[in-house]
Amino acid sequence: MNKSYMNRLLKGTLTIFSLALLAFSQAPETVNYKCMIQLTNYEGEGAYVVVSILDGDGTYQETLYVQGDDAEWYRDIEQWWKNLYGVRRPELDGIVGETVAGGQRKMTVLKIPADKIDAGYQLRFESAVEDQEYYAQDIQFPLTTENLKQKMEGAGFIRYIRMIPQAQ
Amino acid sequence: MTISIWRYSHLALALISGLFLVLASLTGIVLAFEPMQSAVKPYQPKNLAEVSLATTLKALEVEYDEVLTLEVDANGFLLANVVTFSGDSNQIYVHPVTGKQLGVPEVQHPIFKFATNLHRSLFLKSVGRFFVGVVSFLLCFIAITGLFLIVKRQGGWHKLFSKVQKDYLELRYHVVLGRWFLIPIIIIAASGAYLSAERFSLLPNARLTHDITVSTEDGDMGTKPYELDIFKQVFLNEVRSVSFPFSDFPEDHFEIALADKELLVHQYTGRIVSEQPYPFTFLANEFSLALHTGKGSIVWSLVLLLASMALLFFIYSGLVMWRRRVRNGKVARIQNHKDDCSHIILVGSETGTTYAFAECLEQALTHAGKTVFVSQLNDYTSYAKAEQLIVLTATYGDGEAPTNARHFAQLLKTNPPHHNIHYSIVGFGSLRYPNYCKFAAELDNMLQAHPKFEPVLPLYKVNNQSTEAFQDWSRKWAVATNTALVLPVFKQKKVSLTSVNLRVVSITDINLDDTFILRLRPSKTPKFCSGDLCGFTPKEDGMMRWYSLAKYQGDILLSIKKHQKGKCSPFLSSLKPGDMVQGNIKKNPHFHVPKKVSELVCIGNGTGIAPFLGMFDENQKNIPASLYWGGRNEESLALYAPYLSASQASGKLVHLRTGFSRVATTKTYVQHVLLQDAEPLAKKLESGAVFLICGSLTMQNEVLDVLEDISQRQLQQPLSEFEQRGQLKMDCY
């Protein structure tokens, strides 16, 4: 067994360790934001709403919340399906809620990774109703601390959303 | 006419939606278990009617960092959306008083998820939902038409739950189960259809909107929700859900959904900012959902489960009935040409059962060398060589013609026969119905009034598809027309028989009527009862002969007439005391004396007296019993006299009336004696006395006519009323 081989082995082991360490240290810290989604008075079934974080180029990063538990209809939320859910099938446990109907509102808590706030990311709300329209950008805004305190008006089935940091 | 419209719609709708219905019922069976499974969870430790909303709000405030929503589900469990002190957002079941977590809602089991999707939309999303909705709607009509058909069949709404006429299994239980499950099925179908209509926005909007006047009042921001009076007055059993104020700002309100209305409540003053009652459509929707899914009720889920299973059975049995009807309707066999046949059998049947008798008769006639043509009454036409016309017909519902016999009267007018034809009519029916064989009687009148038709026999009525009665008629007909007619043996249901060794205790001499009494003692003591049957199989032909037995002091008592050419009775008459003989006992429960009975009227002729001898002997409670018996003369009676006088002496038989047919110049039969006692008999009938008839079928039919007459005249009620009450029991041969 020669020396260079030993060295390579040592290096490799170290790399694995450091990578593992990095992975643990990067367990993302999140901030709780209370979020209320108020729907418009449309007629029909409950609306499907998906809240996702996109990077500056508009690439899907992660899903924060899915309103609607019948996966049969997820395909209707086209952008999200094509770019994220339909491709990667991420685990949605704990972030799925039942749909609410037109005129109703929904309250939930969004866990937003702290490192993505004020870092050039976007928050997107897309909405769809069975057999009706789909709004890819019902609401979309830069993910900044300032924006997260605002009331945002929607363009589709969402009338507005309100968010406030959850008191710790 | 009307009945066929009901039936065709019932069948057509069922065929269109059949496949969907099979899927829907199968998945329905699976889904019925879901509410049962969740309802048994231990998440409701308190009676919700005793817990005020304020109590729960206070507990939750202590237990959690923040509460977003609170919901009381169908099972009465409290489901809260909370943020814990460690910052986790959770959906959990909470204790109404302590606020502690009781459990976590389970993710719907994949089986239920699969079944729900299949049940609701067949995995076809909106298209599937549309189909399912339409099928639900059709199912409503199938059930409603079915209900009408049953009512019609049973002879009216008030008789809906009376006994169902004897028939083949699928038909019988289609009716029996139909009576119980049609209402739940209508509820399931209607609620399903309603939910679909809601889904496709066919109903007025069920939404509720609040007009909020911007309130200027701020209140004291230190006030806790549980301190507000309004929450102390609301109890959890009235609450559907609570949505907590989004922020601390006074313009954010509590949204309280109660049973019948929604409130917006100021979070610091408790003032009701807005109050809106739920629109009717919203409540109807909620109600439909509860009825359709069984959420929150184990009992109703169970009903839904059974109804789904019943639906599967209805589909199966309906198909069987349809196939039978189609098969019976068109005669598939190669038939003789109508104009070549001397014997024409015409059938009127609603359910197809009468065809079995027609086929049997056709076989026998063909065997006897006759040319036979079988058809339905609706196909009546001219028959060039017809000599004998035999009509076998049932009666439908309230004395109407069966569907395939409706046009007969009209056809008879348009196709009068060119030569004289002999006819005979057999009516099939059930004594339970007031218009017993009414249609057959109408036909009989029609043909009697017709110059070209001559009756061979008077109208013969067959009760409850009795094969014995049909055999009896065929013998009479064979004699009247001088035909060598032997009916093939009807398929008999297998019954379990008890085989017993019997020792002859005593045997009387044969009297003038060739009749003797045989007393047998069973080696074991099998359970039997007067009115049961005792059978013997003579070695010569291996055919079992049955005799109505009396249980007399533990022994079997038989009254047997010796037929010179017979195979069984001569053998039995040759027995000596002490001989052993092998016999069988068959239960005959429809001819037992009921346990609770106020009075007995026994009517019989000839050897038909046998079971009564035992019934009197067993009459320990001295229930008033009378016997009407017809025989040839005093000497015929002498055979039974020792038994009868013993029963009379001990008060077990109080009234004995006899009629003799060979004594005076006028023949007196038992029915004539009954007519003499019309008044007391009517009273007995009215007071609930049970009438037992045993003897020859001819006697039975005469007696029934007399009783019908007595009942109609004296009580203004059809005899069928009493038959339905179980007051008429018959065992004739």
Side-chain angles (χ1 to χ4, degrees):
Chain A
M1 207 175 275
N2 60 39
K3 203 177 163 188
S4 69
Y5 183 81
M6 281 292 286
N7 262 340
R8 276 206 337 249
L9 195 69
L10 198 69
K11 262 187 192 162
T13 318
L14 272 175
T15 319
I16 290 169
F17 265 108
S18 54
L19 270 177
L21 216 65
L22 201 69
F24 278 114
S25 67
Q26 273 194 346
E29 198 173 303
T30 58
V31 185
N32 276 0
Y33 273 87
K34 195 153 78 160
C35 172
M36 178 170 84
I37 303 168
Q38 171 72 52
L39 300 183
T40 59
N41 272 324
Y42 71 91
E43 283 197 18
E45 290 291 286
Y48 281 72
V49 176
V50 173
V51 185
S52 333
I53 295 178
L54 280 62
D55 68 10
D57 306 328
T59 313
Y60 279 83
Q61 299 295 309
E62 67 178 294
T63 309
L64 294 182
Y65 177 67
V66 179
Q67 176 179 300
D69 50 9
D70 191 350
E72 196 181 21
W73 296 93
Y74 285 175
R75 203 181 278 271
D76 284 15
I77 309 158
E78 279 175 32
Q79 294 282 325
W80 177 65
W81 173 272
K82 274 190 207 152
N83 295 302
L84 182 79
Y85 189 76
V87 192
R88 283 188 253 157
R89 291 291 157 112
E91 191 57 55
L92 296 181
D93 264 6
I95 56 165
V96 177
E98 282 175 20
T99 60
V100 293
Q104 307 285 103
R105 60 186 202 172
K106 180 87 177 188
M107 278 197 282
T108 186
V109 172
L110 301 181
K111 289 177 172 297
I112 303 179
D115 62 342
K116 295 225 166 66
I117 301 173
D118 297 324
Y121 291 91
Q122 302 265 323
L123 197 59
R124 169 181 281 193
F125 289 72
E126 47 200 304
S127 66
V129 170
E130 297 180 16
D131 298 325
Q132 296 191 36
E133 289 87 357
Y134 157 67
Y135 295 96
Q137 295 186 32
D138 203 332
I139 296 177
Q140 184 163 336
F141 55 86
L143 189 50
T144 62
T145 317
E146 194 50 37
N147 277 341
L148 286 173
K149 288 177 194 161
Q150 307 266 328
K151 177 174 167 184
M152 296 281 176
E153 304 282 333
F157 294 109
I158 301 176
R159 202 167 109 211
Y160 62 81
I161 58 143
R162 282 173 67 191
M163 296 182 77
I164 45 169
Q166 213 245 319
Q168 291 281 355
Chain B
M1 193 62 206
T2 47
I3 196 75
S4 31
I5 287 179
W6 286 110
R7 168 149 320 128
Y8 290 136
S9 355
H10 189 73
L11 175 66
L13 292 169
L15 286 177
I16 292 167
S17 49
L19 202 63
F20 289 100
L21 285 178
V22 170
L23 273 180
S25 1
L26 281 172
T27 47
I29 290 172
V30 175
L31 291 174
F33 288 100
E34 198 181 9
M36 294 189 214
Q37 184 206 33
S38 60
V40 295
K41 295 259 161 63
Y43 298 154
Q44 195 194 354
K46 287 279 173 196
N47 183 358
L48 296 184
E50 291 164 8
V51 183
S52 74
L53 186 53
T55 312
T56 310
L57 292 184
K58 188 172 183 183
L60 292 175
E61 163 123 2
V62 174
E63 205 66 28
Y64 304 100
D65 188 19
E66 179 150 15
V67 185
L68 302 183
T69 54
L70 180 67
E71 188 191 323
V72 182
D73 76 5
N75 295 314
F77 303 159
L78 257 59
L79 187 62
N81 192 349
V82 301
V83 180
T84 62
F85 286 111
S86 53
D88 292 323
S89 160
N90 286 334
Q91 182 95 342
I92 51 172
Y93 288 111
V94 295
H95 192 289
V97 177
T98 65
K100 294 239 189 285
Q101 175 174 342
L102 295 176
V104 182
E106 274 172 40
V107 184
Q108 195 181 29
H109 193 281
I111 288 177
F112 290 138
K113 201 157 210 159
F114 176 84
T116 308
N117 265 329
L118 191 55
H119 189 84
R120 193 163 59 185
S121 64
L122 313 162
F123 292 110
L124 294 174
K125 291 192 180 176
S126 297
V127 181
R129 286 199 181 194
F130 177 76
F131 269 115
V132 172
V134 169
V135 168
S136 294
F137 194 64
L138 294 183
L139 179 58
C140 276
F141 284 97
I142 297 174
I144 291 168
T145 48
L147 196 60
F148 269 97
L149 287 168
I150 292 185
V151 167
K152 197 92 180 156
R153 185 185 170 81
Q154 292 292 87
W157 284 100
H158 57 290
K159 297 213 186 90
L160 186 57
F161 283 93
S162 59
K163 281 186 189 169
V164 176
Q165 202 174 337
K166 214 171 114 180
D167 230 310
Y168 57 94
L169 180 127
E170 284 86 359
L171 172 56
R172 192 177 151 77
Y173 282 95
H174 206 78
V175 176
V176 171
L177 292 174
R179 300 186 302 193
W180 291 101
F181 284 108
L182 277 177
I183 299 294
I185 285 175
I186 289 174
I187 292 173
I188 294 174
S191 56
Y194 186 93
L195 291 172
S196 293
E198 229 271 311
R199 163 71 177 77
F200 290 101
S201 309
L202 299 175
L203 298 167
N205 196 351
R207 301 273 148 67
L208 171 160
T209 44
H210 289 278
D211 290 323
I212 310 165
T213 46
V214 178
S215 72
T216 47
E217 54 178 344
D218 285 349
D220 174 5
M221 284 185 65
T223 314
K224 296 286 183 191
Y226 53 82
E227 292 165 0
L228 298 173
D229 282 341
I230 182 159
F231 295 143
K232 290 179 186 161
Q233 288 151 14
V234 171
F235 289 84
L236 290 182
N237 62 328
E238 312 156 42
V239 175
R240 289 173 188 272
S241 67
V242 177
S243 193
F244 287 69
F246 181 66
S247 74
D248 295 339
F249 298 119
E251 55 266 32
D252 279 326
H253 304 117
F254 272 101
E255 245 184 56
I256 316 280
L258 299 178
D260 56 346
K261 61 189 171 188
E262 227 173 80
L263 306 176
L264 293 189
V265 176
H266 194 286
Q267 62 171 316
Y268 299 118
T269 65
R271 192 174 67 86
I272 295 172
V273 179
S274 168
E275 174 172 345
Q276 293 282 334
Y278 281 117
F280 170 75
T281 40
F282 174 85
L283 297 173
N285 188 31
E286 291 283 295
F287 189 55
S288 300
L289 196 66
L291 285 178
H292 199 81
T293 59
K295 257 184 199 158
S297 165
I298 293 185
V299 176
W300 184 247
S301 310
L302 213 61
V303 173
L304 295 180
L305 173 68
L306 293 176
S308 300
M309 292 185 187
L311 205 52
L312 277 183
F313 175 78
F314 290 141
I315 294 167
Y316 157 75
S317 56
L319 276 176
V320 171
M321 286 157 66
W322 176 54
R323 265 196 54 207
R324 276 180 83 127
R325 207 186 301 279
V326 168
R327 200 180 51 199
N328 289 331
K330 47 175 183 251
V331 183
R333 290 162 290 124
I334 301 161
Q335 275 248 63
N336 298 324
H337 191 269
K338 69 176 178 75
D339 285 331
D340 297 336
C341 294
S342 59
H343 287 65
I344 312 293
I345 302 175
L346 293 181
V347 182
S349 172
E350 193 64 30
T351 58
T353 33
T354 312
Y355 278 96
F357 291 94
E359 263 171 44
C360 179
L361 181 61
E362 184 197 10
Q363 273 180 38
L365 283 170
T366 311
H367 198 71
K370 308 291 178 193
T371 45
V372 191
F373 180 76
V374 183
S375 183
Q376 53 182 8
L377 279 163
N378 267 358
D379 292 341
Y380 173 82
T381 173
S382 62
Y383 303 99
K385 289 184 186 163
E387 293 163 20
Q388 294 284 348
L389 173 70
I390 302 164
V391 178
L392 310 182
T393 183
T395 297
Y396 191 67
D398 205 19
E400 290 162 40
T403 313
N404 71 352
R406 270 164 218 286
H407 310 308
F408 178 75
Q410 189 57 41
L411 288 168
L412 183 63
K413 270 183 209 151
T414 49
N415 297 307
H418 301 296
H419 59 283
N420 283 5
I421 300 177
H422 294 280
Y423 81 92
S424 35
I425 299 180
V426 185
F428 290 83
S430 170
L431 270 170
R432 290 202 194 97
Y433 294 85
N435 294 302
Y436 179 44
C437 295
K438 186 177 165 194
F439 177 67
E442 274 172 19
L443 274 189
D444 191 36
N445 290 339
M446 210 186 293
L447 292 181
Q448 246 173 45
H450 202 285
K452 297 278 186 186
F453 285 98
E454 291 165 28
V456 176
L457 289 172
L459 169 65
Y460 193 95
K461 298 173 181 177
V462 173
N463 181 27
N464 276 340
Q465 301 172 9
S466 156
T467 49
E468 291 87 353
F470 191 65
Q471 290 272 13
D472 181 59
W473 169 82
S474 75
R475 280 192 291 268
K476 290 198 166 70
W477 187 87
V479 171
T481 57
N482 202 13
T483 313
L485 186 72
V486 183
L487 284 190
V489 182
F490 281 86
K491 268 185 244 161
Q492 288 284 342
K493 272 191 206 156
K494 277 182 188 167
V495 272
S496 58
L497 302 174
T498 326
S499 169
V500 281
N501 287 317
L502 302 162
R503 186 166 60 82
V504 178
V505 178
S506 65
I507 181 164
T508 66
D509 292 334
I510 292 174
N511 75 356
L512 270 183
D513 305 330
D514 290 327
T515 305
F516 61 96
I517 290 179
L518 184 62
R519 184 169 174 169
L520 303 161
R521 184 160 299 164
S523 56
K524 297 173 292 186
T525 40
K527 274 195 177 170
F528 65 95
C529 193
S530 293
D532 284 341
L533 302 170
C534 186
F536 302 95
T537 316
K539 288 200 180 75
E540 284 94 333
D541 61 359
M543 294 262 287
M544 183 90 74
R545 310 292 199 287
W546 293 105
Y547 299 91
S548 213
L549 67 82
K551 185 178 182 181
Y552 191 82
Q553 292 165 7
D555 289 343
I556 292 173
L557 210 60
L558 302 173
S559 169
I560 298 162
K561 181 167 180 155
K562 180 180 172 187
H563 297 278
Q564 294 307 338
K565 290 178 191 166
K567 301 233 163 54
C568 191
S569 51
F571 158 71
L572 292 173
S573 70
S574 69
L575 291 171
K576 299 274 173 294
D579 286 354
M580 293 301 288
V581 60
Q582 179 86 26
N584 287 286
I585 290 176
K586 184 162 79 172
K587 291 263 167 227
N588 191 24
H590 75 266
F591 199 63
H592 289 171
V593 176
K595 283 210 175 83
K596 280 184 185 167
V597 61
S598 58
E599 189 165 1
L600 280 181
V601 179
C602 302
I603 303 164
N605 70 343
T607 55
I609 196 174
F612 300 141
L613 300 178
M615 289 175 190
F616 298 141
D617 185 56
E618 288 179 295
N619 182 10
Q620 301 297 346
K621 293 183 199 156
N622 283 15
I623 294 157
S626 13
L627 173 64
Y628 290 84
W629 183 74
R632 284 191 179 178
N633 50 38
E634 286 285 349
E635 207 168 321
S636 313
L637 183 67
L639 186 63
Y640 312 108
Y643 300 97
L644 293 175
S645 44
S647 291
Q648 276 178 308
S650 54
K652 292 173 173 174
L653 169 64
V654 290
H655 188 66
L656 175 64
R657 297 274 277 126
T658 48
F660 297 116
S661 59
R662 299 282 169 89
V663 174
T665 43
T666 52
K667 292 179 174 180
T668 310
Y669 289 108
V670 66
Q671 60 267 26
H672 302 137
V673 187
L674 291 173
L675 211 49
Q676 291 164 11
D677 277 1
E679 231 168 285
L681 283 172
K683 277 195 188 126
K684 286 176 187 184
L685 209 49
E686 203 176 19
S687 70
V690 171
F691 284 57
L692 295 141
I693 307 174
C694 186
S696 71
L697 275 164
T698 318
M699 181 261 335
Q700 172 191 286
N701 286 333
E702 298 284 346
V703 164
L704 286 175
D705 284 345
V706 168
L707 290 180
E708 179 74 59
D709 187 57
I710 291 176
S711 174
Q712 297 273 12
R713 262 177 222 259
Q714 310 263 344
L715 306 171
Q716 283 80 45
Q717 283 191 71
L719 188 63
S720 58
E721 286 287 328
F722 303 102
E723 213 284 337
Q724 281 188 7
R725 288 180 209 160
Q727 280 179 253
L728 215 51
K729 291 169 176 290
M730 288 163 283
D731 190 47
C732 294
Y733 34 84

